[in-house]
Structure formats: structure tokens, C-alpha cells
Amino acid sequence: MSIIKKIVFLLLFFMNGSFCAYAAEYPVSVIPDSLLKKANMVKRMEQTIIEIKGPGKARIYRKYAYTILNEAGERYAAFYDYYDKFRAINSITGTLYDAMGNKLKQVKKKDIEDVSDRDEMNLMTDLRFKYHNFYYKNYPFTIEYEEEVELNGIERLPTWSPLPEPYVSLENSKVIVVTPKEYSLRYKEFNYDRLPVINEAENGKTYLWELKSTMASEGELYSPEWNEISPTVLIAPTDFEIEGYKGKMDSWLHYGQFYNQLNLGRDILPGTTKQKVHELTDGLNSDREKVKVLYGYLQQNTRYISIQLGIGGLQPFDATFVANKKYGDCKALSNFMCAMLKEAGIKANTVLIEGGDDATPVVADFPSDQFNHVIACVPMQKDTVWLECTSQNKQAGFMGSFTGNRNALLIAEDGGYLVSTPHYTSADNLQLRKINATIDADGNLVVKVNTRFTGQQQELPHNLMHVATKEEREKYMNSRINLPTYKVLKIDYYEINGPLPIVDEYLEIESPNYASITGKRLFVIPNLFNKSSTKFSKEGQRKTPIEFRYAFKDVDTINITIPPGYTTESMPKDVSIKNVAGIYNISFKVNDNKIEVIRVNERTQGRYPASGYDELVKLYDEMYKADRARIVLVKKEG
Amino acid sequence: MPDVKEGSIIDISYTIKSDFISNLQPWEFQQEYPVLWSEYEVGIPEFYKYVLLGQGRMKYVVDKSDLSRSTFHYAVGGNSTQRTESGTFEAIVDTHRWVIKDVPALKEESFTTTLSNHIQKMEFQLSAVQFPGGIYQDRLGNWSTVSEKYLADEQFGLPISRGNGWLDDDIKQIVKGATSKTESAIKIFRFVRDNFTSTGFGTFLSEPNNLKDVFKKKNGNVADINMLLIAMLRHEKIGADPVILSTRRNGVIHPIYPLMDRFNYLVCEVTVDSAMYYLDASVPRLGFGRLPPYCYNGNARVISKPPEKTVFDPESLKESKITTVFIGNDEKDGVVGSYTSTLGYNESYSLREKLAKMKLEDYFKDITKGAAAELKFSNPGIDSLRMYDEPVSLRYDMKLGFGTDDVVYFNPMLNDAMKENPFKSAQRLYPIEMPYVADDTYIFNMEVPTGYKVDELPKSARVKLNEDQGMFEYIILNSGNNIQFRCRLTLNKANYQMEDYQTLRDFFTYVVKKEQEQIVFKKAK
């Protein structure tokens, strides 16, 4: 038996010994009351041992026991894990206990369902899942699963984040990493106030992190990313190996060099494509023009499809493949784009990034694989151009919600560099609306709306113009036009492309009985389309800081003509607030038979201490009320 | 296809060769996209007899039949003991051709069971085969023959016809203390409902003879669970039979022919102590004798000897809701009130589902956060939350801030006013199908707040929907210091023709308008 195995065995033995008190039964009655508060699930124990044998070989032993307290926690009762070319699941054991701690059922790997990950997005992937559920419904109950996983090729190591969700409490969770003596393990802790327990033996090192007895927390809106507010440890190798490729992860520069190895020689274009590039760009004057034309060519001639097989999950199909087949995934398409630009004499790079509207920011001082997407970048003196190569209708240079406002890793010739994608402020993400409406003697409303959307705010109308189904268009209308009954008489869209794109929307709508006319009075809510619907609960002490990651500015200028002969009986008060949550102004005026309302709501990006919560609640409260404020007019006498 | 752009025309053709004569390809004339020209031509030799099942109201531009003679080759036998016999014969072929032009596209809408109930299509069901000189082979069968087959099937009737003695001990525990057969049935039903998880719809057991396995695993498809229920009821000599049906999203079954692949669900018909109930133990928290609304899709079939027909008509499912509000003056607290609402069964079911995952206080906060600022809600309570056979009652207290304003506008419907028309589309291309009918009553009594008098009261009104299809009543009265108000909305039909859409939409526009009206109080001088 190898020395490392001996160390692992000793550790397991030691730990099992210390669990004798619980006798692996997990009766619910011994859980302290404090851990049952606000919890849907209690992690009774959780232990992961990562045994690293070399830069490309590791074994992971995972065992956990969760008590599911009620139906809201039922999703934690399921077991699932994935396997592929580089990761094999050697064994799984599952056990079900009732509330008293009696063992009810047991299951082994051979009885567990095996499912493929193929879906609409992934044409072909070798990723498969093991899934199991006891389908037990007598709450509370406990499930315990144990598995052994083998890694043949390391590019990522698991993150330890024992409490990543609200309404879950914890009795004990620990992670142990065992490495050969010469192996340099890298790690970074968040919200962990102790040092890891490190033991150096003759033939190996162990690292231990542990969390005990933590109460469940409540989910709070507008919180920072979970790894910033809950204990998390990131671990990563220094030297790593996968499919015969060797790399170093101690710096972004070195990590980028690994990708250069994977990409080497894959940017050769076939002769016909080279010709096409020259045909399209030789007559153009500026680099910027050439980029735009070649990006347009990419969008019109290729399609995105995801194929993730083996090392193909990291290494792109070469440019010749894309030129001939006319499809590829994000890596292949970005690589193809850069190859075309290179042929036109323009320097361009692929960039690794975490895509997604709400993605976690890259931890800049911890080089590791924190990415799930690839884009292309054309560095320029001023206004570097960024390209999303998987989209057939996105504007050149525009990153938007999916890839904007964040760090990414540029793969340059000599290695990797952390860079920032374009940042969009509230002045970039505008919704400017001009409304002209008329209400007749029966309360029927006819309205003409002109709205200009810019930056991230134009993404929705842009998608509506290019990819939405009729059903999605109607859903969009119903959510933007929250009038009780309405008919859209006319719709028109107009786009202005560019790195900060604009969409102009024109609508003509009629809404019967919008204004309530009873006897001698007319009731109308003049803020037709922009009613805020967020409301915060005022109870309890907020724990996490407040973070806004998305900035915007909405301005509504509303003019409504009403039938003559009315005078105002009740006018809502103007509101003007400015605090950490942003700016909100609304003013109401009635001149003769014209109602004028101007509404401004602006929010900037930023992070504020939890103590600012009261201001947040106040702004949203007042905005909610004022958005729905009603003007009451009464018929003039005589 | 890399060069595809708007205006491109793509030509595709393919050939299918099939031995499955019982599966003659149907044809859908109507699609998600508009169709300029849809044509189907089918040549059926006279020895294969099919029933033509057409659906849709569009007129065919071409709808003709041509008879012709054709020669057919046959080969019979050909194994090790017989030599192959082969030859030719002549038979008449009926070639039928249908064409429709300019077919509009389909669009999924609210209040539709499924588009496949309404699109223009042609389906074929093999009813018999008779080769020249051969015997007549009925392939369609009738309900008697199909029922017999099913009752003898190991994945249907056979497992529930056995004694199932392995249930002896468990059932003894489950029915302990029951004083009547009905009580035993209820106890058994609740046991299955509360301890088993459904993994999907189905009309057959997922494995032959698997009831013991299902009992051990505690999960199975809808048929597994309800067949287990039937087995357990029969064990106690309670009459129980399987009923197969097609859920609303799955389309309607054929009223006459046993077209078996249209069925996708199974429930239980129980007769005990001279009463009949329909049970579905696969749905959590569903009461005894209740079926989920998606089962109410018209005809259904009881597989018994002899087989029987039954109907689950959505019009027989009525959502009745009664809400009562009292508001009065309190010397100390100002204007206070109480709200009580007994929900319809379906709304009760939804609320129970929500409260299984969240606390009452949080749900209460959610529903009251939309209310006007002057209304303060407290003391939420819920009755019969766990009495799954009964509807639920929700109640809470209110405090109204009348403040010191000269004029106060007050909607007597408070938070319950309908804010949106459920029929938002301006146009509708096929019938409206609602899952049940409704009767919603709101009763309100208010003492005029101290220091104020009524300046304006909305007018009473009564509107009918097409004579007898529904009604909306808004009756409000101010006598002395009291305001009495009653608002009632009834819908008596579940299915409306597409021509009725505009009337239905206008009806609801009126309801929304009325329910937004305000009482105006002015400070008494």
C-alpha cells in the first residue's frame, strides 16, 4: 500500500472514530434548535478528501449526510454527479434514514440511473450523469451518499463552499487535500477566519479546512456573490496535466501559455477563405472598417453549435473545420474570427470569460479556470473592439449583459493577461420614453409611445426584433404595457448599430375604460407604463452588503389630454429621493385639460454597507406608491 | 445551410417504407407557420379498411376520390416446413386527395387545452383487413374486446385481479380503527397519496406484475400508483376499477372507437356503501373523491367487465368562492375591519401547494404588499389547511388609515379587485376552453367612517354574458350610516366558441372597469 494511501486510511479511521457518538444514524432529535431555525435542510456531516497523486491524477472521496426537514428542501435529497473522459465515478453508495435514525434503504452504483447531458444546446457531449432519488416523503428524513471519483487529467479542482445557499444550516463540513511532498497546492480563502491545518509528513502533505455549527441564513436581494459572503476556499494546482498537455497555473501569464499550446497551429485558413478575406477588406481604409466587415461575414456564414468531447471541451476545432463546415462552438468561432483578422493583417486574440447575465466576477489574484465561454478581442489604441462570435445578430463591439462589465483572460502570444470588457454606466443603459395620450369622455385611452433604448436596455427589444417568437413578443408586450385591457394598433422598430447600440420603438395603443369615470369624477393613474413592482420587507436586520451590478436610467415624459370641463380635486405629491439605492423623481402637473408627468429613475453600480438597507427600502416603497398615484378630477360646476 | 436568408426556398423530399399498416401516416394541414398549399394524397387498397378521422373547419379546395384497378404480389409461408406460396391478384384502389390553400398559422394561447384538438388534420385508424378469399379480420375491435384484452394483460388488469396476499400485514395496520368500508377506503387512499411519489403519466404499469416492487420503492408512474390503490381496495373487498382517460393537454379521446394511443392517464373508480367516487392518489394533497382539473377532458373509459363509459365534464367542476368583509368604527383604533374568504377547491389546492414550501407569514406578506399604503393587514389565519378534502379559508384583520384628508377615495373591493382582463389578445382563432366554471361572490359591509359622509357612490349594475353563459352583478347601497355592497361573477360555461371571443373579452373589460370604481368620502362639515 502506498504511503499516501496509508495517510488517507489513517485520516479516515481517525475521523470515523470521532463520529462514534453519532453512530452514523443521524436521528433528527439531536440537532440543536438553533440549527433548525429558518432551515429547510441541515448538513449533518460532509467530508471531501481530495487525494492528488500527480499533476494529472487525483482521487476524490466524498461523503455527506443531509437531513431534509420539509418539502421546500426536497431537492437536496437527490444525488447527481457527472463523469466524462477525464473523470470517472468508481463507486456510489446511498442510504436512507427515517427521522428516528433507522436505516430504511440502501442503494449502490449499479442501481443508479445513468443519464446523458445532451440537450438542445449541446449537439454532442461525452458528459454523462448519475442520478438517484429515494423519493421519500415522510419529513424529516436523512439521506447519506458516499462516492469515489477518479480524475485522469486535471484542469480544475473542486471548490469548497459548505453553505452556498440560504435556508440551509450546517453541523459539520470539512475538506482535506492530500498531496505529494513536492506538489505546490494553491488556495485562497474567503470569509474563513482561521488558517488551514497543514501537516507535513515524510511522504506527503495534508491541508484541512473545516466549518462547524452554522445557522441558516435568509436570502437577501441585491447581495454580493455567494463566495464573497459565505465561507469559501478555492483550490488549484500549480502544475497540471491533461491529455498530454502540461501547464502551469501560478500566474495568468503561464495559464495563458497552456491555451497557446492547445491552440497551436489551429488557425490555418483554407485558400478560398484567405482569398475571401482579401476580397472583402483589401479595398478598405481603416482597421475598424475591416473588423466590422469580417465580423459581418462571420455572422452571415457560420452557426453556433456546442460539441464538447474530451479535450474538445478546452481545445477548439481548427479554423479549416469552421471554414468548411460553417459551424462551431464559442472557442472554434472565436479562433476562426481571429484567424481571419490575422489574414487581413489585424492583430486579434481569443479571450476566456465567464459569460452570463449574473456571472461571478473573476478572482483576479487567484489564477485558475473560472471561465465558461470564449470571445474575441481586437486591441486598438483607443476603443478596443470586442466580438461575440456565437451571435448572428449582435452588434460589433457590444458586449452587454452577457459578457460586459467584467474581467476576462486575454490569450496573447506570450501568455495570458487579465483585461476588462467594456463597462456600461447608467448613461449608457437608457430607456427614454415620450408618451402622448388622449382620454375621451368615456374613459377610453389612445396613446402614442416613442421609446429609445440604449446599451443593456436595448437587449430585450433587439432580441424581439431578431429572434423572438410571436408568443414571446406578446409576453413582452403584456409585461411592458401593464394596462388591464389593450389593443396594439401599430408597432415599429428601428435600430442604430454600434458598440453602444440603440433601438427606437414606436407603439400606438388603445385601452378601453382605462380612466374610471363615475358620475362627476374622473380617476386616472397617469404613469402609464413604468410602474415599479419591487417591494422589500422591512423586518429583521440586513446582514449582507448591498450590491448593484447593473446600472440604468429611465426617463418617462408623459402628456395626457383629458376631456374639457374638469378641475383637480386630488393631486399626488411630487417625490424626489436620492440615496444609495439611486435617484427617483416624479412630478405631477395639470394645466387646463393636460396632465404632465415626468418620471426619472436612475441607479448606479456599486456596493454599499448593509446599514444602507433602510434607504433602499424607503426608495422602493415611495417609488411603488408614487408610480401608482392617482389624479382625481371633478366636473366643474355650471 | 449556411446561405439561408429571408426569402430562401428549401426543397425537401423523403420516402418512408413501413410495415406498420396500423400506423398510416396522419397529415396535419395546419402548422406553426402559415402554409400556402397543403396537399395529401392517399391510395388505399380495398383489402385494408380504414376509418377516416377528419378534424377542422377549413374547407378543402380539392376533396376527391378516384377508383382504379391495381395488381398486387403476395408471398405466404416460407419457413423450413412449408414452401413459399406466391402469386398475384387484382384489387381496387381508392385514391383520395385533399388540398387546402392559405392555411393560417397556429398560436398557443391561454385557455386552450391543446392545439391538436383544433387544427385541421386527417387521421386514419385501421379497422379491418380482408384479403380476397380470406376471412374478415377486425382490427379495431370494440370496447368489449379491448377491455377483455386489457383485463388479461400483465401490465394492466392481471395484477389487480390477484389476491395480493403480500399486502395482508400492511393493510391491517393501515385500516386499523376504521368503522365502515368507506373509512377503510379513505385510510387506504390517504396512505397511498401521502407515501408515494409519481414519476410521470401513464396508462400501463411500468413493468409487468410490479405492484410489490412499487410498494417497496414508494414511487411509480400514475398507473403504478393508482393500480396499487385499486389492488389494496380490492384486498378489503371494496369495489374498485381502473378508469383510463386523456388529460387536457393530450387531446380528446374518440367518442366511439377504441383508439388506445390517445389515452395517457389512469384513475380509480370506487363504489363503496352505495356511493361512487373517483380517486387519484398520485397527486399530493389531493382530497378523497377529487380529480385534478386536467382530467376533466370529456369522455373516459372504465375498464371492467362489462366496460363502461363515463364523462369528466369541466362544466361539472365548479370553483365557488365567498369573501366577506366587515369594516366598522372603533373608538380607539379608528377604522378597522376583518376579511374572510373561503376559496374554491382548485384555488385551495394551489394555496396548499404554496404553503408546503413557504410560511403563512411570508405568503401573507406577499399578497398584501400590493395594497394601498393606507391599509394595514395583520393576524393572518388559515383554516382547514391540512384537511385536504375541504376547501381552505383565509382570514385576516385590517386597519384603514383614514387620516385627516378632506376627500378620501376608497375601493370597496380592497385588494381583491380584478386588475387585468384575462383575455388580452385582440383576436382569437379557436375556441376558448376553461378548466372549470366559476362562481365568485364578494360581500361587503361598512360603517361610514366617523367624521365623513358619502359624496359619491358607484352605480349598481348587472350584466349578462350571452343570456345564460355568465353574469356579473355589482349592487351597492348606502342607507344611513351603512354601506352594503355585493359583487358576484359567475361563468356557467367552460367552452366558448371562437365567435364568442369578442363578447367574452368585452364582458371582462366591463368587470375590470367596475371593480376599479371608488366610493368618495368627504369630511362632514
Side-chain angles (χ1 to χ4, degrees):
Chain A
M1 186 196 300
S2 79
I3 298 297
I4 300 224
K5 263 211 164 94
K6 265 215 187 102
I7 297 179
V8 172
F9 258 53
L10 280 167
L11 283 167
L12 285 173
F13 186 77
F14 166 76
M15 276 176 293
N16 274 328
S18 73
F19 279 122
C20 267
Y22 293 106
E25 278 178 352
Y26 317 111
V28 176
S29 53
V30 307
I31 304 177
D33 277 342
S34 59
L35 294 187
L36 295 172
K37 266 208 198 87
K38 294 206 193 294
N40 295 327
M41 186 269 273
V42 182
K43 289 194 178 187
R44 306 300 295 273
M45 64 79 66
E46 190 176 58
Q47 115 198 341
T48 308
I49 304 172
I50 303 166
E51 201 189 309
I52 300 178
K53 302 189 187 169
K57 263 188 149 9
R59 233 185 226 178
I60 304 177
Y61 305 88
R62 185 164 77 116
K63 179 175 175 181
Y64 65 88
Y66 295 163
T67 294
I68 318 294
L69 296 174
N70 54 47
E71 201 174 317
E74 75 174 321
R75 65 199 163 93
Y76 297 109
F79 169 88
Y80 55 89
D81 201 0
Y82 75 95
Y83 65 97
D84 61 19
K85 186 172 181 197
F86 305 113
R87 181 193 168 101
I89 302 180
N90 290 343
S91 69
I92 308 172
T93 311
T95 315
L96 172 71
Y97 301 90
D98 68 10
M100 238 82 75
N102 301 314
K103 188 193 282 203
L104 297 178
K105 264 191 241 168
Q106 197 163 61
V107 71
K108 292 245 181 282
K109 180 178 166 201
K110 61 179 172 62
D111 302 318
I112 293 180
E113 215 180 320
D114 191 295
V115 201
S116 153
D117 189 40
R118 259 199 70 226
D119 58 18
E120 274 170 26
M121 285 284 287
N122 284 296
L123 178 63
M124 194 45 64
T125 166
D126 60 0
L127 196 67
R128 292 189 68 87
F129 278 93
K130 286 285 188 202
Y131 177 85
H132 182 259
N133 196 323
F134 284 108
Y135 293 113
Y136 198 63
K137 282 159 65 156
N138 281 345
Y139 302 99
F141 63 87
T142 307
I143 45 106
E144 179 196 73
Y145 286 96
E146 213 172 319
E147 71 167 337
E148 184 187 303
V149 167
E150 193 156 332
L151 300 181
N152 285 307
I154 298 177
E155 205 266 338
R156 272 195 202 221
L157 287 173
T159 297
W160 181 67
S161 194
L163 281 177
E165 287 178 46
Y167 311 114
V168 173
S169 67
L170 176 111
E171 285 198 295
N172 184 294
S173 172
K174 53 165 76 108
V175 67
I176 298 158
V177 187
V178 183
T179 72
K181 193 153 178 216
E182 344 67 58
Y183 189 88
S184 325
L185 181 77
R186 293 159 49 234
Y187 53 87
K188 186 177 170 82
E189 295 120 337
F190 295 85
N191 306 300
Y192 191 79
D193 52 7
R194 285 160 287 152
L195 294 169
V197 177
I198 304 180
N199 275 313
E200 279 201 51
E202 243 182 56
N203 283 300
K205 266 163 110 167
T206 64
Y207 305 75
L208 163 74
W209 289 270
E210 185 174 7
L211 187 66
K212 290 205 225 286
S213 276
T214 310
M215 285 173 40
S217 61
E218 289 198 71
E220 293 178 334
L221 281 174
Y222 297 118
S223 282
E225 273 304 316
W226 208 262
N227 70 313
E228 301 191 67
I229 54 178
S230 139
T232 304
V233 177
L234 304 175
I235 59 169
T238 303
D239 293 288
F240 66 97
E241 197 177 313
I242 187 164
E243 187 86 343
Y245 291 95
K246 288 194 180 57
K248 264 181 130 58
M249 234 186 249
D250 55 347
S251 69
W252 290 116
L253 189 73
H254 288 157
Y255 186 52
Q257 288 168 1
F258 167 73
Y259 275 91
N260 280 331
Q261 275 185 73
L262 289 180
N263 298 341
L264 194 61
R266 293 182 164 262
D267 59 353
I268 316 271
L269 293 170
T272 44
T273 313
K274 284 190 189 173
Q275 254 177 0
K276 189 74 191 182
V277 169
H278 287 285
E279 196 185 298
L280 290 171
T281 60
D282 280 352
L284 298 174
N285 290 327
S286 74
D287 275 357
R288 215 168 276 279
E289 273 180 79
K290 296 185 183 179
V291 172
K292 207 160 161 216
V293 165
L294 287 176
Y295 182 59
Y297 176 77
L298 173 89
Q299 289 184 303
Q300 281 156 32
N301 289 283
T302 62
R303 300 254 183 295
Y304 170 81
I305 202 112
S306 166
I307 297 179
Q308 316 291 341
L309 292 167
I311 195 71
L314 297 171
Q315 183 180 49
F317 290 130
D318 59 35
T320 308
F321 179 96
V322 176
N324 292 332
K325 299 279 195 197
K326 302 216 190 286
Y327 65 74
D329 64 3
C330 61
K331 310 183 285 293
L333 293 172
S334 302
N335 178 55
F336 179 69
M337 185 74 227
C338 292
M340 286 202 295
L341 288 165
K342 185 170 162 190
E343 183 62 31
I346 301 173
K347 204 151 159 302
N349 304 93
T350 56
V351 177
L352 304 183
I353 192 167
E354 168 107 348
D357 286 5
D358 241 340
T360 322
V362 171
V363 179
D365 58 357
F366 193 73
S368 60
D369 186 355
Q370 301 176 42
F371 313 105
N372 69 358
H373 185 50
V374 180
I375 56 178
C377 168
V378 189
M380 293 197 175
Q381 277 287 50
K382 205 166 81 95
D383 296 328
T384 293
V385 183
W386 300 83
L387 303 169
E388 175 56 64
C389 301
T390 64
S391 166
Q392 273 143 331
N393 55 64
K394 205 156 183 181
Q395 306 89 339
F398 181 59
M399 291 278 93
S401 307
F402 192 61
T403 43
N405 300 321
R406 68 197 72 184
N407 285 345
L409 187 68
L410 185 122
I411 311 292
E413 273 160 12
D414 59 337
Y417 292 90
L418 263 196
V419 295
S420 294
T421 59
H423 181 74
Y424 304 99
T425 63
S426 56
D428 296 319
N429 299 331
L430 301 170
Q431 179 182 284
L432 306 171
R433 207 179 246 136
K434 286 200 182 28
I435 298 170
N436 281 299
T438 318
I439 294 179
D440 70 11
D442 295 318
N444 301 317
L445 176 80
V446 175
V447 53
K448 295 195 167 96
V449 192
N450 272 299
T451 313
R452 167 161 283 208
F453 301 93
T454 72
Q456 288 175 267
Q457 292 230 53
Q458 60 77 52
E459 286 172 343
L460 188 53
H462 169 87
N463 284 337
L464 227 59
M465 288 170 71
H466 293 271
V467 294
T469 61
K470 217 158 172 218
E471 193 187 39
E472 286 165 333
R473 249 184 272 258
E474 216 177 89
K475 239 197 260 178
Y476 161 82
M477 284 296 163
N478 286 342
S479 70
R480 278 196 187 263
I481 307 173
N482 35 35
L483 302 173
T485 310
Y486 66 90
K487 184 162 164 188
V488 180
L489 301 170
K490 215 162 161 207
I491 318 177
D492 245 327
Y493 286 97
Y494 183 67
E495 269 200 300
I496 302 171
N497 281 328
L500 193 67
I502 300 173
V503 169
D504 282 331
E505 179 190 70
Y506 175 72
L507 295 171
E508 242 175 77
I509 300 168
E510 75 181 13
S511 178
N513 297 133
Y514 177 73
S516 187
I517 298 195
T518 60
K520 51 186 176 163
R521 285 182 174 86
L522 189 155
F523 297 81
V524 63
I525 298 177
N527 179 19
L528 296 174
F529 301 121
N530 210 344
K531 297 183 184 71
S532 155
S533 53
T534 319
K535 253 202 165 189
F536 291 86
S537 75
K538 285 172 243 189
E539 285 160 42
Q541 213 32 26
R542 169 137 179 148
K543 296 192 187 65
T544 58
I546 302 162
E547 185 172 280
F548 297 120
R549 268 172 270 180
Y550 166 58
F552 66 87
K553 182 169 178 177
D554 288 354
V555 180
D556 287 62
T557 314
I558 305 166
N559 280 295
I560 307 178
T561 308
I562 53 171
Y566 282 90
T567 173
T568 59
E569 185 177 62
S570 165
M571 281 289 280
K573 289 198 206 18
D574 291 352
V575 175
S576 182
I577 308 182
K578 181 177 173 161
N579 62 28
V580 305
I583 296 172
Y584 175 70
N585 294 327
I586 191 166
S587 67
F588 304 90
K589 267 204 270 293
V590 176
N591 284 326
D592 278 339
N593 67 335
K594 282 205 181 4
I595 298 175
E596 272 170 37
V597 175
I598 299 181
R599 178 192 189 276
V600 177
N601 179 215
E602 182 175 354
R603 198 169 77 197
T604 48
Q605 284 162 333
R607 188 183 287 203
Y608 307 96
S611 55
Y613 187 60
D614 287 336
E615 290 186 44
L616 182 70
V617 173
K618 177 167 188 269
L619 187 132
Y620 276 90
D621 249 2
E622 305 229 5
M623 178 158 64
Y624 189 92
K625 283 197 287 245
D627 277 351
R628 287 160 181 72
R630 213 176 28 212
I631 298 178
V632 185
L633 302 125
V634 69
K635 263 221 168 82
K636 281 195 256 221
E637 307 292 320
Chain B
M1 271 178 241
D3 283 326
V4 166
K5 37 178 164 288
E6 251 182 74
S8 303
I9 298 180
I10 304 172
D11 237 313
I12 304 179
S13 64
Y14 57 93
T15 310
I16 301 178
K17 264 190 171 155
S18 168
D19 289 332
F20 299 108
I21 55 165
S22 56
N23 186 18
L24 178 58
Q25 304 284 357
W27 187 252
E28 286 180 358
F29 294 92
Q30 208 166 6
Q31 315 271 332
E32 255 186 291
Y33 307 100
V35 178
L36 290 173
W37 178 277
S38 186
E39 172 178 337
Y40 198 53
E41 189 182 284
V42 134
I44 302 178
E46 60 178 316
F47 46 83
Y48 287 142
K49 306 200 193 292
Y50 286 90
V51 174
L52 262 54
L53 304 159
Q55 176 183 283
R57 293 154 40 133
M58 296 191 67
K59 293 243 169 318
Y60 294 101
V61 155
V62 173
D63 181 359
K64 60 197 193 92
S65 204
D66 268 320
L67 300 175
S68 59
R69 285 204 98 82
S70 211
T71 312
F72 291 90
H73 298 264
Y74 70 86
V76 170
N79 58 27
S80 49
T81 55
Q82 276 182 288
R83 63 170 186 82
T84 320
E85 214 187 280
S86 62
T88 61
F89 64 89
E90 277 199 353
I92 298 177
V93 175
D94 180 354
T95 304
H96 206 123
R97 182 162 170 256
W98 294 277
V99 175
I100 303 192
K101 266 171 63 166
D102 301 324
V103 188
L106 299 169
K107 193 173 63 149
E108 182 82 44
E109 298 230 22
S110 51
F111 302 115
T112 315
T113 48
T114 169
L115 292 182
S116 79
N117 278 351
H118 308 292
I119 56 169
Q120 189 88 17
K121 66 179 174 183
M122 187 62 69
E123 288 175 299
F124 305 89
Q125 182 72 29
L126 183 66
S127 66
V129 174
Q130 181 170 36
F131 290 102
I135 50 162
Y136 182 88
Q137 303 168 42
D138 173 46
R139 291 302 188 93
L140 188 58
N142 53 45
W143 276 106
S144 286
T145 56
V146 171
S147 276
E148 254 184 70
K149 226 174 63 172
Y150 271 48
L151 287 172
D153 195 314
E154 284 185 329
Q155 270 178 272
F156 197 89
L158 216 49
I160 53 172
S161 66
R162 299 201 176 98
N164 291 315
W166 51 271
L167 283 166
D168 287 346
D169 291 332
D170 291 287
I171 291 207
K172 222 187 351 211
Q173 279 292 89
I174 293 164
V175 302
K176 203 152 67 162
T179 55
S180 70
K181 279 259 177 283
T182 305
E183 236 188 285
S184 296
I186 294 176
K187 280 185 192 289
I188 292 172
F189 168 76
R190 286 183 183 167
F191 171 79
V192 181
R193 177 195 65 198
D194 296 338
N195 288 289
F196 289 76
T197 309
S198 169
T199 53
F201 289 7
T203 40
F204 285 96
L205 296 175
S206 44
E207 302 282 326
N209 298 310
N210 69 342
L211 291 184
K212 196 162 177 185
D213 215 24
V214 173
F215 189 84
K216 239 183 58 169
K217 278 194 319 182
K218 296 275 185 296
N219 68 71
N221 69 22
V222 170
D224 291 329
I225 294 176
N226 284 329
M227 284 300 216
L228 176 65
L229 173 64
I230 294 173
M232 291 174 78
L233 290 166
R234 286 185 176 183
H235 184 279
E236 293 305 286
K237 309 274 184 288
I238 296 171
D241 289 302
V243 182
I244 52 174
L245 55 94
S246 172
T247 57
R248 288 171 69 87
R249 285 225 130 222
N250 196 49
V252 289
I253 65 169
H254 197 274
I256 306 167
Y257 300 118
L259 308 181
M260 299 317 287
D261 54 12
R262 290 198 185 182
F263 291 88
N264 71 335
Y265 206 83
L266 186 146
V267 297
C268 169
E269 182 187 82
V270 173
T271 312
V272 64
D273 294 332
S274 312
M276 189 189 295
Y277 306 92
Y278 291 99
L279 307 179
D280 184 353
S282 73
V283 180
R285 293 179 291 271
L286 190 62
F288 183 87
R290 307 257 184 190
L291 290 179
Y294 54 75
C295 288
Y296 285 81
N297 195 24
N299 295 316
R301 288 280 173 174
V302 185
I303 306 297
S304 54
K305 208 172 165 140
E308 273 162 32
K309 207 160 99 159
T310 186
V311 181
F312 297 124
D313 184 354
E315 255 157 50
S316 68
L317 206 56
K318 190 162 190 174
E319 269 288 278
S320 291
K321 179 175 178 179
I322 302 194
T323 308
T324 323
V325 175
F326 288 102
I327 299 187
N329 290 308
D330 180 274
E331 262 181 45
K332 195 165 46 102
D333 294 322
V335 181
V336 295
S338 70
Y339 173 105
T340 317
S341 182
T342 304
L343 309 180
Y345 191 78
N346 198 61
E347 211 182 330
S348 302
Y349 183 84
S350 297
L351 185 54
R352 286 180 170 127
E353 207 172 27
K354 282 204 186 81
L355 292 179
K357 293 200 159 82
M358 71 180 347
K359 293 207 179 37
L360 179 62
E361 293 78 49
D362 295 328
Y363 170 74
F364 186 62
K365 251 189 258 175
D366 242 357
I367 58 169
T368 54
K369 75 178 182 184
E374 309 77 50
L375 288 166
K376 299 260 178 299
F377 300 96
S378 60
N379 263 340
I382 249 203
D383 290 336
S384 311
L385 183 61
R386 270 176 241 292
M387 295 173 55
Y388 301 137
D389 296 343
E390 306 300 321
V392 138
S393 269
L394 175 68
R395 61 193 142 69
Y396 49 83
D397 296 330
M398 299 177 284
K399 202 145 84 151
L400 289 75
F402 256 67
T404 49
D405 291 332
D406 268 351
V407 190
V408 178
Y409 309 97
F410 180 77
N411 185 343
M413 295 212 63
L414 300 171
N415 215 15
D416 278 19
M418 191 180 288
K419 294 190 182 66
E420 291 191 337
N421 192 330
F423 300 100
K424 283 201 180 285
S425 286
Q427 238 209 342
R428 177 107 175 181
L429 292 173
Y430 32 74
I432 298 109
E433 297 159 313
M434 312 230 233
Y436 38 72
V437 295
D439 187 350
D440 198 334
T441 311
Y442 184 89
I443 301 171
F444 175 91
N445 267 291
M446 179 177 192
E447 232 188 305
V448 177
T450 322
Y452 287 86
K453 63 174 176 56
V454 176
D455 187 67
E456 199 175 324
L457 207 64
K459 293 202 184 18
S460 294
R462 183 184 280 134
V463 165
K464 282 207 182 134
L465 176 65
N466 286 337
E467 279 315 303
D468 58 349
Q469 292 179 350
M471 184 210 57
F472 175 69
E473 198 176 67
Y474 188 101
I475 315 277
I476 188 162
L477 241 235
N478 171 207
S479 56
N481 209 33
N482 244 293
I483 298 176
Q484 280 163 308
F485 168 58
R486 189 185 136 106
C487 179
R488 186 173 183 188
L489 176 64
T490 49
L491 285 173
N492 301 323
K493 256 175 76 112
N495 297 317
Y496 296 83
Q497 290 304 314
M498 146 185 134
E499 293 80 22
D500 285 333
Y501 182 71
Q502 211 41 59
T503 320
L504 197 55
R505 189 168 184 245
D506 291 342
F507 177 75
F508 276 97
T509 303
Y510 185 78
V511 172
V512 171
K513 168 185 128 87
K514 254 347 235 176
E515 294 197 1
Q516 293 294 324
E517 286 187 2
Q518 319 274 324
I519 301 172
V520 184
F521 293 104
K522 254 208 174 121
K523 243 207 170 91
K525 303 265 198 303

